[in-house]
Amino acid sequence: IFRISDGVLRVVHSRADVFVSEKGTPLKVFGTIQDITDRKRADEELRESWKRLTDIIDFLPDATLVIDNEGKVIAWNRAIETMTGVKAKDMLGKGNYEHSLPFYGERKPILIDIALHPEPEREKDYTTIQRSGDIVFGEAYTPKLAPGNVHLSGTASVLRNAKGDIIAAIECIRNNTDRKNMEERLNRAEKMESLGTLAGGVAHDLNNVLGIVVGYAELALGGVDKSTPLRRHLENVMSGGLKAAAIVDDLLTMARRGVSGSEVLNLNKIIADCQKSPELEKLFSYHPSVKFKTDIDNDLLNISGSSVHLSKSLYNLISNASEAMPKGGTLTIKTTNQYLDKPISGYDKIREGDYVVLSISDTGEGISANDLKRIFEPFYTKKKMGRSGTGLGLSVVWGTVKDHNGYINVESEVGKGTTFTLYFPVTREDIAAKAETVAISEYMGKGESILIVDDVMEQRDLAKSMLDTLNYKTSSVESGEEAVAYLKEHQADILVLDMIMDPGMDGLDTYKSIIKTNPQQK
């Protein structure tokens, strides 16, 4: 440092070169002095500027890192320390993709590297990626971050100097796992709602057709001698119709129109009955190497629901679990009471409350992340056709659980198995006494009048034939409007109403219109 004539201090760089003879004797000295004040000042300003920038980066709420042109980490803020558990002192100066290890457990280019050196092939690793000039936005699942499979969104950009040259890159990262899960649940619910509407419409039309097939087959069987060949043909028609009706019932359940009534139940009883069923015995004959275990809470609380639909859902889950273990394994059914004092976010968002929890676990092949998103869709199946049903099994489970105001959680890892956990709200009511079976003679009428309202002629004729056989006096009309007009001039002890009639009034609107003038109409 020198003080020049005007008293100003200047920073100089001095150098002296000594020239010597062949014998090593100094001959002369050549010296240079260079004023580097401006350069030192610029360097100091640059250091101050970088310090201010790193201070700002350090206090950013988003996890942030900066790498230089060589891929070495030059900034690692507090938020990213918290996110990854890696301290800045252990990361600064590290290269060779060290910064990817906390996220992926392997060294590979991540979003900040793609911003610095675009690699179209690497962009396939992201669920979403968009580029706009120097800025790249991306979203991806990160398997290494606790608690695992965390979904992150990041925005990376290159940094340029005054000349426009790229000198570094910066990335800001956010954990948006909750938002991603919420979006997936919403999309899943909307998709299932749309599929349910479609399935409900198809099932309604099929119901009309199958009702006629099964109904007339049953009527015909009643009048055919057991010894005639015709009876076997009618029995086959009846059997096929009933199988098709079971598929329609699955469609209606998936459409959330299948649970028409409920009773107080205990899941332990449903599980016990399922274990004794011939269907389960047949299923396990296909999978002799599968071990079946139960872990039952003997003090299990009651729920309100449909035993038919719950039994079918339980069987479907057991069937899926068995299919997932072609080389054998263990299938475990567990029940327990659980109180949730706060919501749980998983495959479904489960609200706080008292629940009876049913879980079905297997040690099988597991479900991939892509398949897991679609398992409840109707006909989305990878099971063996012919042996494993229609592809509606999990759709039935979904519809049944939702109809019971319950929730589903699914946990699976490829190669390690799957657990389906079903949450059903508790009821404090007691189980009612079992109703006694009523003899067919008790259904016989005494000439009471019945008005049948149905928009399908074959359904009207079938209902009329059945009720006439049971000694009722029947009349029929094909629309709600005709029913209203008929009852203005006639009386009926009871109405039998088709609920879905199109076009015109449906069954509910028809009944509402009738009771305006006849409040006591049954």
Side-chain angles (χ1 to χ4, degrees):
I1 299 176
F2 287 88
R3 188 184 299 278
I4 58 176
S5 58
D6 59 1
V8 177
L9 293 174
R10 306 292 291 179
V11 179
V12 298
H13 177 267
S14 61
R15 175 177 174 174
D17 295 307
V18 180
F19 293 87
V20 298
S21 67
E22 292 179 357
K23 296 179 179 181
T25 306
L27 298 176
K28 60 180 178 179
V29 177
F30 182 78
T32 60
I33 299 175
Q34 182 183 8
D35 187 341
I36 60 170
T37 306
D38 292 340
R39 194 184 76 190
K40 292 290 287 184
R41 185 178 295 121
D43 288 345
E44 189 63 33
E45 288 175 354
L46 184 61
R47 279 193 293 271
E48 286 294 322
S49 176
W50 177 246
K51 186 178 183 305
R52 288 194 297 271
L53 178 59
T54 53
D55 286 343
I56 292 171
I57 290 172
D58 204 37
F59 284 97
L60 286 176
D62 290 341
T64 306
L65 73 151
V66 182
I67 61 174
D68 62 17
N69 257 333
E70 297 178 354
K72 293 181 179 179
V73 178
I74 56 177
W76 187 266
N77 78 347
R78 297 182 184 185
I80 202 169
E81 285 184 337
T82 302
M83 176 181 281
T84 63
V86 178
K87 296 295 182 182
K89 64 183 178 64
D90 297 322
M91 185 59 71
L92 293 176
K94 298 290 180 66
N96 191 26
Y97 304 119
E98 183 93 5
H99 50 275
S100 73
L101 291 176
F103 299 99
Y104 296 96
E106 60 177 309
R107 297 177 186 274
K108 69 174 188 176
I110 61 174
L111 198 67
I112 192 170
D113 303 289
I114 293 172
L116 200 59
H117 306 291
E119 291 188 50
E121 280 299 312
R122 287 292 178 183
E123 294 182 6
K124 295 177 182 178
D125 297 339
Y126 291 82
T127 56
T128 301
I129 192 160
Q130 298 172 342
R131 181 182 288 275
S132 178
D134 286 343
I135 301 173
V136 182
F137 172 80
E139 294 184 329
Y141 286 99
T142 51
K144 186 66 175 177
L145 278 184
N149 219 30
V150 174
H151 193 266
L152 300 180
S153 65
T155 302
S157 176
V158 298
L159 301 175
R160 298 178 182 272
N161 61 17
K163 296 179 182 179
D165 299 325
I166 296 174
I167 58 172
I170 184 171
E171 180 178 358
C172 296
I173 305 167
R174 290 185 179 181
N175 183 340
N176 67 343
T177 306
D178 289 342
R179 178 181 66 80
K180 186 70 175 176
N181 289 341
M182 183 172 65
E183 287 177 356
E184 288 184 352
R185 284 194 294 267
L186 180 61
N187 290 337
R188 193 159 52 236
E190 289 177 346
K191 181 185 289 187
M192 292 301 292
E193 191 72 27
S194 299
L195 290 170
T197 301
L198 173 63
V202 171
H204 172 255
D205 291 340
L206 284 175
N207 241 1
N208 285 338
V209 175
L210 288 170
I212 294 164
V213 172
V214 174
Y216 277 112
E218 188 173 9
L219 282 176
L221 279 169
V224 175
D225 191 84
K226 292 183 179 181
S227 61
T228 64
L230 181 61
R231 184 174 183 87
R232 183 170 61 85
H233 298 328
L234 287 172
E235 287 173 344
N236 287 337
V237 171
M238 183 81 171
S239 175
L242 290 173
K243 288 178 181 177
I247 296 174
V248 170
D249 189 51
D250 287 348
L251 284 170
L252 286 171
T253 303
M254 193 214 79
R256 300 185 61 192
R257 291 161 58 179
V259 180
S260 57
S262 64
E263 55 186 319
V264 179
L265 306 165
N266 191 281
L267 270 179
N268 287 348
K269 175 68 166 55
I270 291 174
I271 293 169
D273 290 344
C274 185
Q275 286 181 263
K276 299 172 187 175
S277 69
E279 292 85 3
L280 201 63
E281 185 178 338
K282 184 179 180 181
L283 175 67
F284 284 141
S285 71
Y286 291 138
H287 309 282
S289 56
V290 172
K291 296 179 181 178
F292 186 85
K293 292 173 59 178
T294 57
D295 182 4
I296 301 299
D297 186 341
N298 293 324
D299 296 321
L300 197 69
L301 297 171
N302 295 329
I303 64 172
S304 179
S306 163
S307 60
V308 172
H309 292 87
L310 289 169
S311 297
K312 183 176 288 187
S313 295
L314 177 62
Y315 176 82
N316 288 340
L317 289 170
I318 293 173
S319 175
N320 277 7
S322 301
E323 288 273 348
M325 297 182 285
K327 297 179 181 179
T330 303
L331 189 158
T332 305
I333 295 181
K334 180 179 179 180
T335 59
T336 186
N337 300 312
Q338 186 172 355
Y339 172 70
L340 300 180
D341 57 359
K342 60 182 179 180
I344 296 176
S345 289
Y347 196 89
D348 227 350
K349 186 168 184 179
I350 307 163
R351 298 180 183 274
E352 62 272 17
D354 274 312
Y355 294 96
V356 167
V357 182
L358 167 67
S359 66
I360 294 90
S361 304
D362 66 67
T363 57
E365 298 171 336
I367 305 169
S368 70
N370 287 333
D371 288 333
L372 198 61
K373 298 174 184 177
R374 300 188 59 189
I375 56 173
F376 292 107
E377 294 178 20
F379 306 113
Y380 185 79
T381 180
K382 294 188 175 182
K383 295 165 70 177
K384 296 178 182 178
M385 295 304 292
R387 176 185 293 184
S388 307
T390 62
L392 287 169
L394 287 180
S395 299
V396 169
V397 174
W398 175 275
T400 297
V401 171
K402 294 305 174 183
D403 269 330
H404 286 76
N405 299 313
Y407 303 94
I408 302 176
N409 196 28
V410 188
E411 297 173 303
S412 188
E413 187 173 348
V414 174
K416 294 188 177 181
T418 303
T419 298
F420 283 84
T421 307
L422 280 53
Y423 294 78
F424 296 101
V426 165
T427 179
R428 301 299 174 181
E429 296 180 39
D430 294 326
I431 296 174
K434 190 174 181 180
E436 294 183 6
T437 303
V438 179
I440 190 67
S441 59
E442 295 295 321
Y443 291 105
M444 296 299 293
K446 299 177 181 178
E448 295 94 335
S449 60
I450 299 178
L451 175 63
I452 302 161
V453 186
D454 199 305
D455 59 339
V456 179
M457 179 185 67
E458 293 85 356
Q459 291 278 24
R460 294 195 304 274
D461 291 347
L462 176 61
K464 195 172 189 311
S465 297
M466 286 181 167
L467 293 169
D468 286 344
T469 302
L470 293 172
N471 197 35
Y472 291 98
K473 181 181 179 182
T474 59
S475 301
S476 66
V477 294
E478 64 179 346
S479 70
E481 289 82 359
E482 286 189 31
V484 173
Y486 178 91
L487 290 172
K488 287 180 179 178
E489 299 180 3
H490 305 83
Q491 287 186 336
D493 293 313
I494 198 167
L495 309 180
V496 177
L497 288 161
D498 180 13
M499 295 308 293
I500 303 173
M501 295 182 286
D502 186 51
M505 301 167 67
D506 63 16
L508 183 59
D509 289 337
T510 301
Y511 187 63
K512 286 179 178 178
S513 179
I514 289 170
I515 61 174
K516 285 180 181 178
T517 54
N518 187 2
Q520 303 303 316
Q521 179 66 61
K522 295 181 180 180

